[in-house]
């Protein structure tokens, strides 16, 4: 198998890496606009949806660079999750929204998680009742990433079935002004929000996709989001590794760099091997995003479990080899460690995906 990037993806990687290294944009809105102008958002969508990429390997190129730079932008929430659902389920009228997304003039969020759902994608307690004019939504969505800044939310709600049934889940376009939002920051500094829906009236055309039949599309987009998170984690690991190697080559003790000590060389070698395993797992998941459901989801859980374990090891080892400065909030390494920790908990942590992989393997 050829693991080299195509010429187009190599250009995308070089362009994005150079831009993120040189930009001085501190405001996330400014950075978002500059990424849109550079065409990066378009790399998340296929040509028929107005983009120029959209495959698993396109996601990995973009998100590894985002992770390497430690950039905080809602590419995952707007492009992969909410935008991906519109691309997968939307009609021609719905897909016109993607033009604004790719142009960077509209941000989206996928409001799906709920307080009691843990990582169960089928757990939806929010209700959508049909009325003569459309639908009325009631419920509470929890830890909605980019939920405090999004212009439009894609909200999952139950139109039939029990609270954990896969059947009966529908998706709706909800303008942010129609809901109550409580915004906050995660430990890695990203935007999140609690979303409260209280008798939110929606017209019939707010429905996205089939009534009661959106679970498969949700699971597919979460698989793509998991692949993107794995790539972002690899980028963050690479930066943490680079900072640590530089520190070991610079910090002097007993008249020589501490990187000369064999014990630290062995620990750094373990980190390098584990990062290569994480990269291989990310390539594997990206190559199986279009496989049948059973095979794809096994690779999703296998990769997410490994990324979580390796991310924790890299963060802990790099901080320890840095000594006290590795713990300081002002030092960039702490930011990468926080992001790797946050990634472990998005869409299922190591324990969840280990159990899920075992269950999927049993068939």
């Amino acid at each position: 198998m050829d693991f080299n990037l195509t010429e187009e993806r190599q250009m995308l990687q070089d362009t994005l890496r150079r831009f993120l290294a040189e930009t001085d944009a501190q405001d996330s809105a400014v950075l978002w606009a500059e990424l849109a102008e550079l065409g990066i958002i378009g790399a998340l969508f296929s040509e028929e949806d107005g983009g120029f990429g959209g495959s698993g390997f396109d996601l990995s190129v973009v998100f590894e660079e985002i992770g390497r730079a430690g950039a905080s932008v809602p590419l995952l929430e707007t492009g992969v999750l909410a935008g991906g659902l519109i691309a997968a389920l939307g009609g021609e009228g719905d897909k016109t929204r993607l033009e604004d997304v790719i142009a960077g003039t509209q941000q989206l969020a996928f409001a799906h998680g709920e307080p009691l759902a843990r990582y169960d994608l089928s757990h939806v307690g929010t209700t959508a009742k049909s009325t003569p004019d459309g639908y009325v939504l009631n419920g509470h969505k929890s830890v909605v990433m980019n939920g405090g800044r999004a212009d439009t939310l894609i909200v999952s709600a139950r139109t039939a079935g029990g609270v954990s049934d896969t059947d009966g889940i529908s998706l709706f376009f909800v303008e942010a002004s129609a809901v109550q939002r409580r915004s906050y920051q995660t430990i890695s500094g990203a935007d999140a929000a609690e979303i409260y829906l209280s008798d939110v009236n929606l017209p019939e055309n707010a429905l996205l996709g089939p009534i009661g039949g959106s679970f498969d599309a949700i699971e597919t987009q979460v698989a793509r989001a998991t692949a993107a998170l794995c790539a972002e984690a690899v980028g963050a690991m690479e930066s943490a590794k680079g900072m640590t190697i530089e520190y070991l080559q610079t910090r002097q003790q007993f008249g020589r760099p501490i990187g000369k000590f064999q014990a630290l060389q062995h620990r750094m070698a373990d980190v390098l091997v584990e990062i290569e395993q994480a990269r291989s797992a990310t390539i594997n998941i990206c190559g199986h995003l279009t496989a049948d459901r059973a095979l794809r989801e096994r690779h999703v859980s296998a990769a997410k479990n490994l990324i979580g374990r390796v991310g924790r090891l890299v963060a802990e080892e790099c901080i320890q080899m840095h000594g006290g400065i590795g713990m300081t909030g002002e030092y960039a390494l702490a930011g990468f460690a926080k992001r790797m920790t946050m990634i472990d908990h998005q869409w299922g942590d190591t324990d969840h995906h280990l159990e899920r992989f075992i269950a999927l393997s049993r068939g």
Side-chain angles (χ1 to χ4, degrees):
M1 182 180 290
D2 183 3
F3 292 107
N4 293 315
L5 297 176
T6 62
E7 184 177 350
E8 291 79 10
R9 289 180 185 134
Q10 186 65 61
M11 288 175 60
L12 176 64
Q13 183 185 66
D14 293 342
T15 301
L16 184 54
R17 184 176 299 184
R18 186 167 55 250
F19 166 76
L20 291 172
E22 295 175 352
T23 184
D24 55 358
Q26 300 296 317
D27 187 292
S28 63
V30 175
L31 181 56
W32 178 255
E34 291 180 345
L35 287 174
E37 186 176 355
L38 205 60
I40 300 303
I41 304 173
L44 309 180
F45 295 93
S46 64
E47 288 188 20
E48 54 263 35
D49 293 321
F52 59 89
S55 75
F57 293 112
D58 294 314
L59 297 183
S60 70
V61 168
V62 171
F63 280 89
E64 182 173 338
E65 296 312 311
I66 294 294
R68 189 187 301 272
S72 181
V73 285
L75 278 172
L76 188 76
E77 295 77 16
T78 295
V80 180
L81 286 166
L85 287 167
I86 296 173
L89 298 175
E92 286 304 313
D94 299 324
K95 289 188 177 182
T96 57
R97 293 174 182 265
L98 296 181
E99 297 175 8
D100 295 332
V101 169
I102 293 172
T105 57
Q106 179 160 173
Q107 290 192 13
L108 308 174
F110 177 41
H112 183 61
E114 298 186 357
L116 299 178
R118 188 63 173 165
Y119 300 127
D120 183 1
L121 291 179
S122 65
H123 183 111
V124 176
T126 298
T127 59
K129 293 186 177 180
S130 179
T131 69
D133 299 323
Y135 302 90
V136 177
L137 269 60
N138 281 283
H140 173 197
K141 297 296 183 180
S142 186
V143 198
V144 179
M145 302 303 296
N146 202 42
R149 297 175 180 171
D151 304 293
T152 303
L153 307 168
I154 305 296
V155 178
S156 60
R158 187 162 292 285
T159 48
V163 71
S164 293
D165 291 345
T166 54
D167 291 332
I169 300 174
S170 304
L171 295 172
F172 298 89
F173 290 104
V174 179
E175 297 306 313
S177 58
V179 303
Q180 181 182 355
R181 300 190 284 187
R182 181 172 65 82
S183 300
Y184 50 88
Q185 284 191 332
T186 66
I187 61 167
S188 62
D191 173 79
E194 300 296 298
I195 304 293
Y196 303 94
L197 301 108
S198 178
D199 291 331
V200 176
N201 288 283
L202 300 175
E204 286 190 11
N205 63 7
L207 178 67
L208 172 63
I211 185 80
S214 294
F215 178 78
D216 289 346
I218 291 171
E219 191 177 58
T220 300
Q221 295 310 316
V222 170
R224 287 168 53 81
T226 304
L229 283 173
C230 290
E232 184 182 348
V234 170
M237 292 174 198
E238 287 286 350
S239 288
K241 178 193 75 177
M243 295 176 69
T244 306
I245 290 174
E246 182 179 0
Y247 181 78
L248 296 180
Q249 292 173 338
T250 306
R251 176 80 163 85
Q252 299 279 324
Q253 196 167 44
F254 305 115
R256 56 179 176 167
I258 61 174
K260 294 288 186 182
F261 296 116
Q262 193 174 50
L264 291 178
Q265 289 178 350
H266 286 175
R267 291 175 68 170
M268 201 66 228
D270 288 341
V271 168
L272 299 182
V273 170
E274 293 294 332
I275 291 176
E276 287 310 305
Q277 283 206 64
R279 184 182 302 282
S280 297
T282 301
I283 292 171
N284 205 26
I285 184 178
C286 289
H288 286 89
L289 287 179
T290 56
D292 63 80
R293 189 258 174 186
L295 181 61
R296 181 194 71 208
E297 292 303 318
R298 280 203 302 275
H299 283 291
V300 166
S301 285
K304 191 63 165 54
N305 171 270
L306 187 140
I307 288 290
R309 289 186 287 114
V310 174
R312 186 182 308 125
L313 179 141
V314 171
E316 291 175 352
E317 285 292 82
C318 289
I319 286 175
Q320 287 188 17
M321 283 188 273
H322 268 84
I325 68 167
M327 294 292 290
T328 56
E330 294 77 9
Y331 193 51
L333 178 61
F336 290 114
K338 288 177 182 177
R339 186 59 192 142
M340 285 186 269
T341 301
M342 189 66 198
I343 286 174
D344 181 32
H345 291 280
Q346 282 187 266
W347 302 112
D349 61 16
T350 52
D351 292 338
H352 169 79
H353 278 290
L354 177 60
E355 293 174 0
R356 187 170 183 264
F357 177 81
I358 293 170
L360 289 167
S361 299
R362 287 173 178 162

